[in-house]
Amino acid sequence: MENYDNINDTQKDVLREIGNIGGGNAATALSSILTGRVDMSLPELRIVSVSEISMMLGGPENQVVGILVPMANDVKGMLLFLLDKEFTHMLINVLLDRKIESFENINEMDMSALKEIGNILAGSYINAICGLTGLDIKLLPPDIAIDMVGAILNYPAEQFGAMVTKFSL
């Protein structure tokens, strides 16, 4: 496939269903960790530019937590979880019994806990996809950053650009 514009309705439905199954498994894992209910809406499939993603996430200067989980073997790529301030604070407050209200109050233990949450969610998501497709996907250790949406999205965009260049040669 040369262009994402060429994805037909059946392919879109398959991608949505994969997202739904993987997301459902990740939501179940998060619900177990938080020992509470986690609601999930049906996934929506849209092909958008990086600048459109930035705007969907509150603008390129909006501060978020980004957890990047690289993938290897049959699928080479990355999963990126972006967590807004409120959700990040809630996770830390529930998991570590701390009361934080600002990204400036996040310490190394908090960062480690957030990385582990990203690792668990990615594992749940990818295990569902592997079971569904038979693919062998290995997850590598996650990285984490607290930065502006635009800065965090830059890294996967650069990596994807390097991959495209590499495969085009």
Side-chain angles (χ1 to χ4, degrees), residues 44-82:
E44 190 176 316
L45 177 66
R46 288 189 279 169
I47 309 296
V48 297
S49 68
V50 173
S51 61
E52 288 175 280
I53 295 171
S54 290
M55 295 315 293
M56 291 166 62
L57 298 170
E61 295 181 3
N62 184 33
Q63 230 184 1
V64 295
V65 172
I67 305 167
L68 184 88
V69 184
M71 298 181 292
N73 291 359
D74 289 345
V75 174
K76 291 168 184 47
M78 57 194 79
L79 292 173
L80 177 61
F81 296 98
L82 296 174

PDB file of all heavy atoms in Angstrom, residues 44-82:
ATOM      1  N   GLU A  44     -11.909   5.256  17.097  1.00  0.00           N
ATOM      2  CA  GLU A  44     -12.211   5.985  15.875  1.00  0.00           C
ATOM      3  C   GLU A  44     -10.959   5.912  15.006  1.00  0.00           C
ATOM      4  O   GLU A  44      -9.853   6.007  15.517  1.00  0.00           O
ATOM      5  CB  GLU A  44     -12.504   7.439  16.260  1.00  0.00           C
ATOM      6  CG  GLU A  44     -13.062   8.281  15.184  1.00  0.00           C
ATOM      7  CD  GLU A  44     -13.401   9.672  15.715  1.00  0.00           C
ATOM      8  OE1 GLU A  44     -13.982   9.779  16.805  1.00  0.00           O
ATOM      9  OE2 GLU A  44     -13.048  10.634  15.024  1.00  0.00           O
ATOM     10  N   LEU A  45     -11.111   5.707  13.727  1.00  0.00           N
ATOM     11  CA  LEU A  45      -9.971   5.615  12.817  1.00  0.00           C
ATOM     12  C   LEU A  45      -9.939   6.841  11.929  1.00  0.00           C
ATOM     13  O   LEU A  45     -10.889   7.111  11.198  1.00  0.00           O
ATOM     14  CB  LEU A  45     -10.066   4.348  11.959  1.00  0.00           C
ATOM     15  CG  LEU A  45      -8.975   4.173  10.913  1.00  0.00           C
ATOM     16  CD1 LEU A  45      -7.619   3.971  11.584  1.00  0.00           C
ATOM     17  CD2 LEU A  45      -9.294   3.009  10.004  1.00  0.00           C
ATOM     18  N   ARG A  46      -8.853   7.597  12.050  1.00  0.00           N
ATOM     19  CA  ARG A  46      -8.628   8.748  11.189  1.00  0.00           C
ATOM     20  C   ARG A  46      -7.148   8.806  10.851  1.00  0.00           C
ATOM     21  O   ARG A  46      -6.312   8.591  11.719  1.00  0.00           O
ATOM     22  CB  ARG A  46      -9.017  10.053  11.890  1.00  0.00           C
ATOM     23  CG  ARG A  46     -10.500  10.222  12.033  1.00  0.00           C
ATOM     24  CD  ARG A  46     -10.850  11.588  12.530  1.00  0.00           C
ATOM     25  NE  ARG A  46     -10.672  11.612  13.986  1.00  0.00           N
ATOM     26  CZ  ARG A  46     -10.698  12.712  14.706  1.00  0.00           C
ATOM     27  NH1 ARG A  46     -10.864  13.877  14.151  1.00  0.00           N
ATOM     28  NH2 ARG A  46     -10.559  12.660  16.003  1.00  0.00           N
ATOM     29  N   ILE A  47      -6.836   9.102   9.627  1.00  0.00           N
ATOM     30  CA  ILE A  47      -5.456   9.317   9.208  1.00  0.00           C
ATOM     31  C   ILE A  47      -5.248  10.828   9.232  1.00  0.00           C
ATOM     32  O   ILE A  47      -5.897  11.556   8.475  1.00  0.00           O
ATOM     33  CB  ILE A  47      -5.190   8.764   7.783  1.00  0.00           C
ATOM     34  CG1 ILE A  47      -5.662   7.316   7.647  1.00  0.00           C
ATOM     35  CG2 ILE A  47      -3.731   8.932   7.413  1.00  0.00           C
ATOM     36  CD1 ILE A  47      -4.948   6.311   8.502  1.00  0.00           C
ATOM     37  N   VAL A  48      -4.364  11.280  10.131  1.00  0.00           N
ATOM     38  CA  VAL A  48      -4.156  12.711  10.301  1.00  0.00           C
ATOM     39  C   VAL A  48      -2.664  13.033  10.330  1.00  0.00           C
ATOM     40  O   VAL A  48      -1.839  12.163  10.596  1.00  0.00           O
ATOM     41  CB  VAL A  48      -4.832  13.242  11.591  1.00  0.00           C
ATOM     42  CG1 VAL A  48      -6.336  13.057  11.530  1.00  0.00           C
ATOM     43  CG2 VAL A  48      -4.272  12.574  12.823  1.00  0.00           C
ATOM     44  N   SER A  49      -2.346  14.283  10.099  1.00  0.00           N
ATOM     45  CA  SER A  49      -0.953  14.736  10.153  1.00  0.00           C
ATOM     46  C   SER A  49      -0.543  14.960  11.598  1.00  0.00           C
ATOM     47  O   SER A  49      -1.385  15.048  12.502  1.00  0.00           O
ATOM     48  CB  SER A  49      -0.798  16.037   9.366  1.00  0.00           C
ATOM     49  OG  SER A  49      -1.488  17.081  10.037  1.00  0.00           O
ATOM     50  N   VAL A  50       0.761  15.074  11.825  1.00  0.00           N
ATOM     51  CA  VAL A  50       1.282  15.330  13.169  1.00  0.00           C
ATOM     52  C   VAL A  50       0.728  16.646  13.712  1.00  0.00           C
ATOM     53  O   VAL A  50       0.360  16.730  14.881  1.00  0.00           O
ATOM     54  CB  VAL A  50       2.829  15.325  13.172  1.00  0.00           C
ATOM     55  CG1 VAL A  50       3.374  15.767  14.515  1.00  0.00           C
ATOM     56  CG2 VAL A  50       3.355  13.942  12.827  1.00  0.00           C
ATOM     57  N   SER A  51       0.623  17.659  12.863  1.00  0.00           N
ATOM     58  CA  SER A  51       0.098  18.947  13.336  1.00  0.00           C
ATOM     59  C   SER A  51      -1.366  18.809  13.759  1.00  0.00           C
ATOM     60  O   SER A  51      -1.791  19.439  14.737  1.00  0.00           O
ATOM     61  CB  SER A  51       0.261  20.029  12.279  1.00  0.00           C
ATOM     62  OG  SER A  51      -0.451  19.706  11.112  1.00  0.00           O
ATOM     63  N   GLU A  52      -2.137  17.992  13.050  1.00  0.00           N
ATOM     64  CA  GLU A  52      -3.529  17.765  13.446  1.00  0.00           C
ATOM     65  C   GLU A  52      -3.596  17.029  14.777  1.00  0.00           C
ATOM     66  O   GLU A  52      -4.459  17.326  15.608  1.00  0.00           O
ATOM     67  CB  GLU A  52      -4.271  16.968  12.371  1.00  0.00           C
ATOM     68  CG  GLU A  52      -4.568  17.753  11.107  1.00  0.00           C
ATOM     69  CD  GLU A  52      -5.197  16.877  10.039  1.00  0.00           C
ATOM     70  OE1 GLU A  52      -4.433  16.138   9.369  1.00  0.00           O
ATOM     71  OE2 GLU A  52      -6.437  16.928   9.888  1.00  0.00           O
ATOM     72  N   ILE A  53      -2.690  16.080  14.994  1.00  0.00           N
ATOM     73  CA  ILE A  53      -2.656  15.359  16.273  1.00  0.00           C
ATOM     74  C   ILE A  53      -2.383  16.346  17.399  1.00  0.00           C
ATOM     75  O   ILE A  53      -3.037  16.315  18.441  1.00  0.00           O
ATOM     76  CB  ILE A  53      -1.598  14.237  16.262  1.00  0.00           C
ATOM     77  CG1 ILE A  53      -1.968  13.156  15.258  1.00  0.00           C
ATOM     78  CG2 ILE A  53      -1.450  13.626  17.659  1.00  0.00           C
ATOM     79  CD1 ILE A  53      -0.876  12.124  15.031  1.00  0.00           C
ATOM     80  N   SER A  54      -1.409  17.236  17.184  1.00  0.00           N
ATOM     81  CA  SER A  54      -1.085  18.244  18.200  1.00  0.00           C
ATOM     82  C   SER A  54      -2.314  19.048  18.585  1.00  0.00           C
ATOM     83  O   SER A  54      -2.574  19.282  19.766  1.00  0.00           O
ATOM     84  CB  SER A  54      -0.003  19.198  17.690  1.00  0.00           C
ATOM     85  OG  SER A  54       1.223  18.544  17.589  1.00  0.00           O
ATOM     86  N   MET A  55      -3.073  19.471  17.606  1.00  0.00           N
ATOM     87  CA  MET A  55      -4.263  20.281  17.877  1.00  0.00           C
ATOM     88  C   MET A  55      -5.341  19.455  18.590  1.00  0.00           C
ATOM     89  O   MET A  55      -6.034  19.968  19.468  1.00  0.00           O
ATOM     90  CB  MET A  55      -4.814  20.893  16.586  1.00  0.00           C
ATOM     91  CG  MET A  55      -3.856  21.897  15.933  1.00  0.00           C
ATOM     92  SD  MET A  55      -3.101  23.085  17.078  1.00  0.00           S
ATOM     93  CE  MET A  55      -4.522  24.038  17.567  1.00  0.00           C
ATOM     94  N   MET A  56      -5.464  18.183  18.236  1.00  0.00           N
ATOM     95  CA  MET A  56      -6.436  17.308  18.886  1.00  0.00           C
ATOM     96  C   MET A  56      -6.092  17.112  20.369  1.00  0.00           C
ATOM     97  O   MET A  56      -6.968  16.817  21.174  1.00  0.00           O
ATOM     98  CB  MET A  56      -6.479  15.945  18.180  1.00  0.00           C
ATOM     99  CG  MET A  56      -7.074  15.998  16.782  1.00  0.00           C
ATOM    100  SD  MET A  56      -6.763  14.503  15.798  1.00  0.00           S
ATOM    101  CE  MET A  56      -7.583  13.250  16.744  1.00  0.00           C
ATOM    102  N   LEU A  57      -4.816  17.279  20.697  1.00  0.00           N
ATOM    103  CA  LEU A  57      -4.343  17.063  22.068  1.00  0.00           C
ATOM    104  C   LEU A  57      -4.112  18.366  22.828  1.00  0.00           C
ATOM    105  O   LEU A  57      -3.343  18.408  23.774  1.00  0.00           O
ATOM    106  CB  LEU A  57      -3.058  16.226  22.037  1.00  0.00           C
ATOM    107  CG  LEU A  57      -3.226  14.830  21.446  1.00  0.00           C
ATOM    108  CD1 LEU A  57      -1.882  14.167  21.229  1.00  0.00           C
ATOM    109  CD2 LEU A  57      -4.115  13.975  22.348  1.00  0.00           C
ATOM    110  N   GLY A  58      -4.773  19.426  22.386  1.00  0.00           N
ATOM    111  CA  GLY A  58      -4.706  20.680  23.115  1.00  0.00           C
ATOM    112  C   GLY A  58      -3.686  21.674  22.599  1.00  0.00           C
ATOM    113  O   GLY A  58      -3.414  22.673  23.252  1.00  0.00           O
ATOM    114  N   GLY A  59      -3.082  21.395  21.471  1.00  0.00           N
ATOM    115  CA  GLY A  59      -2.100  22.310  20.885  1.00  0.00           C
ATOM    116  C   GLY A  59      -0.681  21.848  21.150  1.00  0.00           C
ATOM    117  O   GLY A  59      -0.424  21.126  22.119  1.00  0.00           O
ATOM    118  N   PRO A  60       0.255  22.251  20.294  1.00  0.00           N
ATOM    119  CA  PRO A  60       1.636  21.755  20.383  1.00  0.00           C
ATOM    120  C   PRO A  60       2.356  22.142  21.664  1.00  0.00           C
ATOM    121  O   PRO A  60       3.331  21.498  22.044  1.00  0.00           O
ATOM    122  CB  PRO A  60       2.319  22.364  19.158  1.00  0.00           C
ATOM    123  CG  PRO A  60       1.442  23.460  18.699  1.00  0.00           C
ATOM    124  CD  PRO A  60       0.056  23.160  19.170  1.00  0.00           C
ATOM    125  N   GLU A  61       1.864  23.164  22.373  1.00  0.00           N
ATOM    126  CA  GLU A  61       2.537  23.593  23.603  1.00  0.00           C
ATOM    127  C   GLU A  61       1.905  23.015  24.862  1.00  0.00           C
ATOM    128  O   GLU A  61       2.391  23.254  25.968  1.00  0.00           O
ATOM    129  CB  GLU A  61       2.573  25.116  23.658  1.00  0.00           C
ATOM    130  CG  GLU A  61       3.436  25.691  22.543  1.00  0.00           C
ATOM    131  CD  GLU A  61       3.521  27.198  22.574  1.00  0.00           C
ATOM    132  OE1 GLU A  61       2.958  27.825  23.499  1.00  0.00           O
ATOM    133  OE2 GLU A  61       4.148  27.747  21.658  1.00  0.00           O
ATOM    134  N   ASN A  62       0.837  22.232  24.711  1.00  0.00           N
ATOM    135  CA  ASN A  62       0.193  21.592  25.852  1.00  0.00           C
ATOM    136  C   ASN A  62       1.130  20.550  26.444  1.00  0.00           C
ATOM    137  O   ASN A  62       1.653  19.692  25.738  1.00  0.00           O
ATOM    138  CB  ASN A  62      -1.125  20.937  25.411  1.00  0.00           C
ATOM    139  CG  ASN A  62      -1.889  20.349  26.565  1.00  0.00           C
ATOM    140  OD1 ASN A  62      -1.864  20.860  27.676  1.00  0.00           O
ATOM    141  ND2 ASN A  62      -2.575  19.253  26.300  1.00  0.00           N
ATOM    142  N   GLN A  63       1.347  20.617  27.749  1.00  0.00           N
ATOM    143  CA  GLN A  63       2.251  19.677  28.402  1.00  0.00           C
ATOM    144  C   GLN A  63       1.550  18.355  28.702  1.00  0.00           C
ATOM    145  O   GLN A  63       0.426  18.340  29.221  1.00  0.00           O
ATOM    146  CB  GLN A  63       2.785  20.277  29.698  1.00  0.00           C
ATOM    147  CG  GLN A  63       4.263  20.179  29.809  1.00  0.00           C
ATOM    148  CD  GLN A  63       4.785  20.679  31.145  1.00  0.00           C
ATOM    149  OE1 GLN A  63       4.049  21.085  32.020  1.00  0.00           O
ATOM    150  NE2 GLN A  63       6.081  20.621  31.274  1.00  0.00           N
ATOM    151  N   VAL A  64       2.213  17.247  28.372  1.00  0.00           N
ATOM    152  CA  VAL A  64       1.687  15.900  28.600  1.00  0.00           C
ATOM    153  C   VAL A  64       2.828  14.979  29.026  1.00  0.00           C
ATOM    154  O   VAL A  64       4.004  15.334  28.936  1.00  0.00           O
ATOM    155  CB  VAL A  64       1.019  15.314  27.329  1.00  0.00           C
ATOM    156  CG1 VAL A  64      -0.211  16.108  26.933  1.00  0.00           C
ATOM    157  CG2 VAL A  64       2.002  15.220  26.181  1.00  0.00           C
ATOM    158  N   VAL A  65       2.454  13.787  29.434  1.00  0.00           N
ATOM    159  CA  VAL A  65       3.424  12.716  29.656  1.00  0.00           C
ATOM    160  C   VAL A  65       3.354  11.813  28.436  1.00  0.00           C
ATOM    161  O   VAL A  65       2.273  11.414  28.013  1.00  0.00           O
ATOM    162  CB  VAL A  65       3.100  11.905  30.931  1.00  0.00           C
ATOM    163  CG1 VAL A  65       3.991  10.675  31.037  1.00  0.00           C
ATOM    164  CG2 VAL A  65       3.239  12.768  32.172  1.00  0.00           C
ATOM    165  N   GLY A  66       4.505  11.504  27.869  1.00  0.00           N
ATOM    166  CA  GLY A  66       4.580  10.584  26.745  1.00  0.00           C
ATOM    167  C   GLY A  66       5.332   9.338  27.153  1.00  0.00           C
ATOM    168  O   GLY A  66       6.432   9.427  27.702  1.00  0.00           O
ATOM    169  N   ILE A  67       4.715   8.190  26.949  1.00  0.00           N
ATOM    170  CA  ILE A  67       5.368   6.911  27.226  1.00  0.00           C
ATOM    171  C   ILE A  67       5.488   6.186  25.898  1.00  0.00           C
ATOM    172  O   ILE A  67       4.486   5.849  25.276  1.00  0.00           O
ATOM    173  CB  ILE A  67       4.563   6.062  28.241  1.00  0.00           C
ATOM    174  CG1 ILE A  67       4.308   6.856  29.534  1.00  0.00           C
ATOM    175  CG2 ILE A  67       5.297   4.744  28.542  1.00  0.00           C
ATOM    176  CD1 ILE A  67       3.288   6.230  30.448  1.00  0.00           C
ATOM    177  N   LEU A  68       6.716   5.970  25.471  1.00  0.00           N
ATOM    178  CA  LEU A  68       7.005   5.372  24.170  1.00  0.00           C
ATOM    179  C   LEU A  68       7.500   3.946  24.379  1.00  0.00           C
ATOM    180  O   LEU A  68       8.460   3.721  25.118  1.00  0.00           O
ATOM    181  CB  LEU A  68       8.077   6.188  23.447  1.00  0.00           C
ATOM    182  CG  LEU A  68       8.379   5.708  22.040  1.00  0.00           C
ATOM    183  CD1 LEU A  68       7.430   6.391  21.069  1.00  0.00           C
ATOM    184  CD2 LEU A  68       9.806   6.029  21.687  1.00  0.00           C
ATOM    185  N   VAL A  69       6.809   2.991  23.756  1.00  0.00           N
ATOM    186  CA  VAL A  69       7.180   1.577  23.876  1.00  0.00           C
ATOM    187  C   VAL A  69       7.556   1.063  22.488  1.00  0.00           C
ATOM    188  O   VAL A  69       6.674   0.888  21.636  1.00  0.00           O
ATOM    189  CB  VAL A  69       6.025   0.741  24.471  1.00  0.00           C
ATOM    190  CG1 VAL A  69       6.474  -0.699  24.687  1.00  0.00           C
ATOM    191  CG2 VAL A  69       5.511   1.353  25.778  1.00  0.00           C
ATOM    192  N   PRO A  70       8.853   0.830  22.243  1.00  0.00           N
ATOM    193  CA  PRO A  70       9.280   0.317  20.932  1.00  0.00           C
ATOM    194  C   PRO A  70       8.852  -1.139  20.729  1.00  0.00           C
ATOM    195  O   PRO A  70       8.742  -1.909  21.694  1.00  0.00           O
ATOM    196  CB  PRO A  70      10.809   0.420  20.979  1.00  0.00           C
ATOM    197  CG  PRO A  70      11.116   1.327  22.126  1.00  0.00           C
ATOM    198  CD  PRO A  70       9.986   1.165  23.091  1.00  0.00           C
ATOM    199  N   MET A  71       8.612  -1.509  19.477  1.00  0.00           N
ATOM    200  CA  MET A  71       8.236  -2.879  19.108  1.00  0.00           C
ATOM    201  C   MET A  71       9.259  -3.430  18.124  1.00  0.00           C
ATOM    202  O   MET A  71       9.787  -2.687  17.293  1.00  0.00           O
ATOM    203  CB  MET A  71       6.855  -2.901  18.447  1.00  0.00           C
ATOM    204  CG  MET A  71       5.736  -2.434  19.331  1.00  0.00           C
ATOM    205  SD  MET A  71       4.113  -2.496  18.512  1.00  0.00           S
ATOM    206  CE  MET A  71       4.279  -1.238  17.266  1.00  0.00           C
ATOM    207  N   ALA A  72       9.499  -4.736  18.207  1.00  0.00           N
ATOM    208  CA  ALA A  72      10.461  -5.398  17.316  1.00  0.00           C
ATOM    209  C   ALA A  72       9.879  -6.733  16.855  1.00  0.00           C
ATOM    210  O   ALA A  72       8.785  -7.114  17.241  1.00  0.00           O
ATOM    211  CB  ALA A  72      11.787  -5.605  18.040  1.00  0.00           C
ATOM    212  N   ASN A  73      10.636  -7.430  16.054  1.00  0.00           N
ATOM    213  CA  ASN A  73      10.317  -8.714  15.432  1.00  0.00           C
ATOM    214  C   ASN A  73       9.394  -8.513  14.237  1.00  0.00           C
ATOM    215  O   ASN A  73       9.748  -7.772  13.335  1.00  0.00           O
ATOM    216  CB  ASN A  73       9.800  -9.743  16.428  1.00  0.00           C
ATOM    217  CG  ASN A  73      10.896 -10.193  17.394  1.00  0.00           C
ATOM    218  OD1 ASN A  73      12.030  -9.755  17.316  1.00  0.00           O
ATOM    219  ND2 ASN A  73      10.547 -11.073  18.301  1.00  0.00           N
ATOM    220  N   ASP A  74       8.203  -9.138  14.225  1.00  0.00           N
ATOM    221  CA  ASP A  74       7.325  -9.061  13.052  1.00  0.00           C
ATOM    222  C   ASP A  74       6.809  -7.642  12.783  1.00  0.00           C
ATOM    223  O   ASP A  74       6.479  -7.310  11.655  1.00  0.00           O
ATOM    224  CB  ASP A  74       6.124 -10.007  13.199  1.00  0.00           C
ATOM    225  CG  ASP A  74       6.514 -11.466  13.073  1.00  0.00           C
ATOM    226  OD1 ASP A  74       7.633 -11.757  12.594  1.00  0.00           O
ATOM    227  OD2 ASP A  74       5.695 -12.333  13.459  1.00  0.00           O
ATOM    228  N   VAL A  75       6.704  -6.846  13.816  1.00  0.00           N
ATOM    229  CA  VAL A  75       6.257  -5.458  13.668  1.00  0.00           C
ATOM    230  C   VAL A  75       7.330  -4.558  14.267  1.00  0.00           C
ATOM    231  O   VAL A  75       7.665  -4.685  15.440  1.00  0.00           O
ATOM    232  CB  VAL A  75       4.903  -5.207  14.378  1.00  0.00           C
ATOM    233  CG1 VAL A  75       4.534  -3.739  14.336  1.00  0.00           C
ATOM    234  CG2 VAL A  75       3.811  -6.055  13.754  1.00  0.00           C
ATOM    235  N   LYS A  76       7.875  -3.695  13.437  1.00  0.00           N
ATOM    236  CA  LYS A  76       8.863  -2.733  13.913  1.00  0.00           C
ATOM    237  C   LYS A  76       8.187  -1.371  13.949  1.00  0.00           C
ATOM    238  O   LYS A  76       7.669  -0.890  12.958  1.00  0.00           O
ATOM    239  CB  LYS A  76      10.078  -2.720  12.987  1.00  0.00           C
ATOM    240  CG  LYS A  76      10.867  -4.015  13.097  1.00  0.00           C
ATOM    241  CD  LYS A  76      11.888  -4.156  11.988  1.00  0.00           C
ATOM    242  CE  LYS A  76      12.618  -5.472  12.022  1.00  0.00           C
ATOM    243  NZ  LYS A  76      11.821  -6.650  12.179  1.00  0.00           N
ATOM    244  N   GLY A  77       8.161  -0.803  15.119  1.00  0.00           N
ATOM    245  CA  GLY A  77       7.496   0.474  15.278  1.00  0.00           C
ATOM    246  C   GLY A  77       7.463   0.854  16.737  1.00  0.00           C
ATOM    247  O   GLY A  77       8.344   0.452  17.511  1.00  0.00           O
ATOM    248  N   MET A  78       6.449   1.591  17.120  1.00  0.00           N
ATOM    249  CA  MET A  78       6.351   2.032  18.505  1.00  0.00           C
ATOM    250  C   MET A  78       4.904   2.330  18.860  1.00  0.00           C
ATOM    251  O   MET A  78       4.103   2.672  18.001  1.00  0.00           O
ATOM    252  CB  MET A  78       7.223   3.259  18.725  1.00  0.00           C
ATOM    253  CG  MET A  78       6.892   4.421  17.817  1.00  0.00           C
ATOM    254  SD  MET A  78       8.148   5.706  17.790  1.00  0.00           S
ATOM    255  CE  MET A  78       9.364   4.974  16.707  1.00  0.00           C
ATOM    256  N   LEU A  79       4.618   2.138  20.124  1.00  0.00           N
ATOM    257  CA  LEU A  79       3.344   2.566  20.688  1.00  0.00           C
ATOM    258  C   LEU A  79       3.641   3.808  21.511  1.00  0.00           C
ATOM    259  O   LEU A  79       4.631   3.845  22.238  1.00  0.00           O
ATOM    260  CB  LEU A  79       2.758   1.496  21.610  1.00  0.00           C
ATOM    261  CG  LEU A  79       2.292   0.207  20.973  1.00  0.00           C
ATOM    262  CD1 LEU A  79       1.910  -0.802  22.051  1.00  0.00           C
ATOM    263  CD2 LEU A  79       1.105   0.464  20.067  1.00  0.00           C
ATOM    264  N   LEU A  80       2.799   4.811  21.399  1.00  0.00           N
ATOM    265  CA  LEU A  80       2.986   6.030  22.167  1.00  0.00           C
ATOM    266  C   LEU A  80       1.714   6.314  22.948  1.00  0.00           C
ATOM    267  O   LEU A  80       0.634   6.459  22.365  1.00  0.00           O
ATOM    268  CB  LEU A  80       3.304   7.207  21.232  1.00  0.00           C
ATOM    269  CG  LEU A  80       3.448   8.578  21.891  1.00  0.00           C
ATOM    270  CD1 LEU A  80       4.594   8.599  22.897  1.00  0.00           C
ATOM    271  CD2 LEU A  80       3.640   9.644  20.823  1.00  0.00           C
ATOM    272  N   PHE A  81       1.853   6.350  24.257  1.00  0.00           N
ATOM    273  CA  PHE A  81       0.741   6.723  25.130  1.00  0.00           C
ATOM    274  C   PHE A  81       0.965   8.162  25.554  1.00  0.00           C
ATOM    275  O   PHE A  81       2.045   8.506  26.045  1.00  0.00           O
ATOM    276  CB  PHE A  81       0.707   5.842  26.389  1.00  0.00           C
ATOM    277  CG  PHE A  81       0.460   4.391  26.111  1.00  0.00           C
ATOM    278  CD1 PHE A  81       1.507   3.487  26.052  1.00  0.00           C
ATOM    279  CD2 PHE A  81      -0.833   3.925  25.915  1.00  0.00           C
ATOM    280  CE1 PHE A  81       1.279   2.152  25.791  1.00  0.00           C
ATOM    281  CE2 PHE A  81      -1.066   2.578  25.658  1.00  0.00           C
ATOM    282  CZ  PHE A  81      -0.011   1.702  25.601  1.00  0.00           C
ATOM    283  N   LEU A  82      -0.033   8.996  25.371  1.00  0.00           N
ATOM    284  CA  LEU A  82       0.036  10.380  25.818  1.00  0.00           C
ATOM    285  C   LEU A  82      -0.984  10.566  26.933  1.00  0.00           C
ATOM    286  O   LEU A  82      -2.172  10.287  26.754  1.00  0.00           O
ATOM    287  CB  LEU A  82      -0.260  11.345  24.667  1.00  0.00           C
ATOM    288  CG  LEU A  82       0.749  11.301  23.521  1.00  0.00           C
ATOM    289  CD1 LEU A  82       0.290  12.182  22.367  1.00  0.00           C
ATOM    290  CD2 LEU A  82       2.124  11.721  23.995  1.00  0.00           C
TER     291      LEU A  82
END
